[in-house]
C-alpha cells in the first residue's frame, strides 16, 4: 500500500473519529435546534437602512403550552429580545438546552422570545455585497448599534404590535445597546428595561494587549494588506479542529479550554465538557474593525466611537443618554470584561439614576465571561433567577 493511500486512510479515520464525537448541535442551524428541542420557531428577515439582511428567530411559546394547546400565538405576551456577543450568534441563547438556556426558560415562563443576529455572523448577508467583498466587513459595533439593533427592534414591534420590548445583551450585545442609545436615544422609548451580562464598555485592563497587537505588531494592517478583512474560519475546519483538540474530559489533558480560559478567565468547575466541541464549533466570524474598535476603547480608556480609525479623534459615546433601568450582571472572575471596568460603568449609570441592580453572576467567585452562556448550571445559577427579575422589572416599569 502506498504511503499516500495510507495517509488518506489515517485522515479518514481521524475525520470519522472527530466528527462522530461532535454532537448534532454542532451542525444544526438555530431554528433546527429550537425545533428539535420541541419548541415552536419562526424565522423573520430584517433589512437595515444600509442594506444588510439579518435573520432573526422567534420562540413564540413554551414547549408544554405549544404541545398542549397546539397554539403558538404570542398575542399579548411580553417580549424579550436577546443580542449575542463577539464571535457569537443567536444560538448562544439556546445551545445549552431547555433546562439551562435563557431563551427556553423565558419561553416556558410565558414570554415571546426573539433572538437577534448582528451583521457579520453567518445568519446575516447584504443585498449587494458578498462576504468576500472588503466593503461587507466595513463595520463594528458602532453599526450594530446605529442600524442593526434599531431595525430589529422596529421589526419586532411591528410584528407583535407591542409598544415596548425588553432588551437582554451579552458582552458585545451590550456594547451594541450603548452605541445604539448614544446615537439614537429615541430607542429608550421602545424598551422596557435592559439586562447587561458582562457589559463590554470599559476595557482599560486590556491596554497592554491592544498595544501589543495593534501598535507594536500592527497585526491587523498586515493581514489587511494580505487581503483579509475578517476573522472567519470555515465551519468545517472549525468543526475538524474542535473535534480533534476539544474532546478532553478533564483539565489535565485539556488544551482547548485552556486557550479559551486565558482570554475569558478560568472556571473548570462549571465547564460543560460534553459541550466544548459544540461551543468551539459554534463560533461565528467577526470583522477586524470590531476588534480594532474594542482596541481603540482599551488604548484610550474611553468608550469612544470609531471616527477616523484607531488613531483618529476620541469621541465618547453618550452613556448619559440611557433613560431606562439597567441591570448589570458581571463575572467575579471575568478577565475580558473585568469587574473593575464593569464597576466604572455601573458608577456612571448610577450617577444618572438608571442603575437598577448590580449582581455577581451565579454568586460564584470563578464565574467568567462565557459562563453566562455556557456554564453547565447556568439555568439554575443565573437564568431562572434572571427570568424572575425580568418579570419584576416588567411589573414595575411597563404599564400597558
Ligand atoms: C444596491 O444596489 C442598487 C443597485 O445597484 C443600488 O441602487 C442601491 O443603492 C444599493 N444598496 C446599497 C445598500 O448599497
Ligand atoms: C407594520 O408595518 C407595515 C408596513 O410598513 C404597516 O403597514 C403596519 O401598519 C405596521 N404595523 C404595526 C402594528 O405597526
Ligand atoms: C448608587 O448611588 C447611591 C446614591 O449615591 C448609593 O447609595 C448606592 O450605593 C449606589 N449603588 C451602587 C450599586 O453603586
Amino acid at each position: 500500500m502506498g504511503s499516500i493511500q495510507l495517509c488518506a486512510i489515517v485522515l479518514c479515520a481521524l475525520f470519522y473519529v472527530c466528527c462522530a464525537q461532535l454532537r448534532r448541535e454542532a451542525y444544526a442551524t438555530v431554528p433546527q435546534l429550537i425545533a428539535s428541542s420541541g419548541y415552536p420557531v419562526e424565522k423573520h428577515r430584517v433589512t437595515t437602512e444600509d442594506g444588510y439582511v439579518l435573520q432573526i428567530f422567534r420562540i413564540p411559546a413554551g414547549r408544554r403550552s405549544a404541545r398542549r394547546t397546539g397554539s403558538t400565538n404570542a398575542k399579548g405576551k411580553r417580549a424579550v429580545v436577546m443580542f449575542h456577543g463577539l464571535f457569537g450568534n443567536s444560538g448562544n441563547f439556546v445551545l445549552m438546552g431547555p433546562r439551562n438556556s435563557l431563551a427556553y426558560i423565558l419561553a416556558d415562563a410565558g414570554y415571546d422570545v426573539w433572538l437577534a443576529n448582528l451583521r457579520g455572523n453567518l445568519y446575516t448577508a447584504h443585498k449587494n455585497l458578498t462576504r468576500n467583498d472588503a466593503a461587507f466587513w466595513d463595520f463594528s459595533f458602532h453599526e450594530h448599534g446605529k442600524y442593526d439593533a434599531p431595525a430589529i427592534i422596529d421589526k419586532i414591534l411591528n410584528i407583535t404590535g407591542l409598544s415596548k420590548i425588553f432588551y437582554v445583551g451579552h458582552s458585545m450585545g451590550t456594547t451594541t445597546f450603548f452605541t445604539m442609545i448614544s446615537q439614537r436615544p429615541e430607542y429608550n422609548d421602545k424598551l422596557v428595561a435592559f439586562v447587561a451580562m458582562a457589559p463590554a464598555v470599559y476595557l482599560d485592563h486590556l491596554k497592554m494587549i491592544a498595544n501589543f497587537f495593534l501598535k507594536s505588531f500592527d497585526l491587523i494592517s498586515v493581514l489587511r494588506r494580505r487581503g483579509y478583512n475578517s476573522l472567519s474560519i470555515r465551519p468545517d475546519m472549525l468543526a475538524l479542529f474542535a473535534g480533534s483538540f476539544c474532546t478532553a474530559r478533564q483539565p489535565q489533558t485539556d488544551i482547548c479550554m485552556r486557550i479559551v480560559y486565558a482570554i475569558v478567565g478560568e472556571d473548570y468547575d462549571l465547564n460543560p465538557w460534553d459541550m466544548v466541541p459544540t461551543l468551539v464549533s459554534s463560533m461565528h466570524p467577526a470583522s477586524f474593525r470590531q476588534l480594532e474598535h474594542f482596541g481603540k476603547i482599551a488604548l484610550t480608556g474611553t468608550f469612544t466611537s470609531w471616527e477616523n480609525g484607531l488613531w483618529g479623534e476620541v469621541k465618547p459615546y453618550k452613556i448619559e443618554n440611557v433613560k431606562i433601568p439597567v441591570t448589570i450582571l458581571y463575572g467575579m472572575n471575568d478577565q475580558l470584561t473585568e469587574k473593575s471596568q464593569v464597576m466604572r460603568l455601573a458608577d456612571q449609570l448610577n450617577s444618572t439614576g438608571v442603575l437598577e441592580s448590580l449582581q455577581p453572576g451565579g454568586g460564584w467567585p470563578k464565574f467568567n465571561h462565557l459562563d453566562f452562556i455556557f456554564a453547565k448550571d447556568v439555568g439554575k445559577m443565573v437564568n431562572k433567577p434572571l427570568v424572575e427579575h425580568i418579570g419584576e422589572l416588567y411589573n414595575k416599569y411597563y404599564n400597558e
Side-chain angles (χ1 to χ4, degrees), residues 154-162:
D154 285 337
K155 181 79 174 188
I156 298 170
L157 294 180
N158 182 284
I159 292 173
T160 58
L162 295 167

Side-chain angles (χ1 to χ4, degrees), residues 50-51 126 128:
D50 59 343
H126 190 277
N128 298 354

Side-chain angles (χ1 to χ4, degrees), residues 27-164:
Y27 302 102
T29 64
V30 170
Q32 285 167 349
L33 208 54
I34 295 170
S36 72
S37 295
Y39 290 78
V41 59
E42 292 175 15
K43 299 181 241 185
H44 297 272
R45 221 172 259 274
V46 175
T47 304
T48 66
E49 278 167 48
D50 59 343
Y52 285 81
V53 182
L54 317 170
Q55 295 187 58
I56 59 173
F57 307 126
R58 178 190 202 183
I59 309 177
R63 182 156 60 165
R64 211 170 293 149
S65 76
R67 201 185 304 143
R68 202 177 47 230
T69 63
S71 164
T72 57
N73 191 342
K75 202 158 180 54
K77 284 188 178 182
R78 296 167 166 185
V80 177
V81 60
M82 292 180 223
F83 287 84
H84 63 80
L86 185 66
F87 301 122
N89 67 83
S90 51
N92 291 11
F93 298 104
V94 297
L95 202 57
M96 295 298 286
R99 280 182 50 230
N100 277 305
S101 280
L102 183 58
Y104 293 132
I105 299 176
L106 275 169
D108 286 330
Y111 289 87
D112 181 10
V113 178
W114 294 81
L115 303 172
N117 285 300
L118 294 167
R119 67 181 61 183
N121 90 25
L122 296 172
Y123 295 106
T124 69
H126 190 277
K127 277 200 300 196
N128 298 354
L129 302 167
T130 75
R131 304 178 83 82
N132 295 324
D133 293 314
F136 179 92
W137 296 103
D138 209 8
F139 67 82
S140 77
F141 40 83
H142 183 84
E143 285 73 21
H144 289 159
K146 185 173 181 183
Y147 301 115
D148 296 2
I152 290 169
I153 291 167
D154 285 337
K155 181 79 174 188
I156 298 170
L157 294 180
N158 182 284
I159 292 173
T160 58
L162 295 167
S163 62
K164 291 184 183 196

Side-chain angles (χ1 to χ4, degrees), residues 389-400:
H389 182 67
I390 289 172
E392 286 160 16
L393 291 180
Y394 249 114
N395 292 340
K396 197 164 158 190
Y397 295 108
Y398 186 62
N399 333 292
E400 285 301 281

Side-chain angles (χ1 to χ4, degrees), residues 77 94 100 126 136-137 161 223 243 268 272-273 301 333-334 343 345:
K77 284 188 178 182
V94 297
N100 277 305
H126 190 277
F136 179 92
W137 296 103
L223 290 169
Y268 275 114
W273 291 104
N333 185 36
D334 186 341
M343 292 307 145
L345 171 67

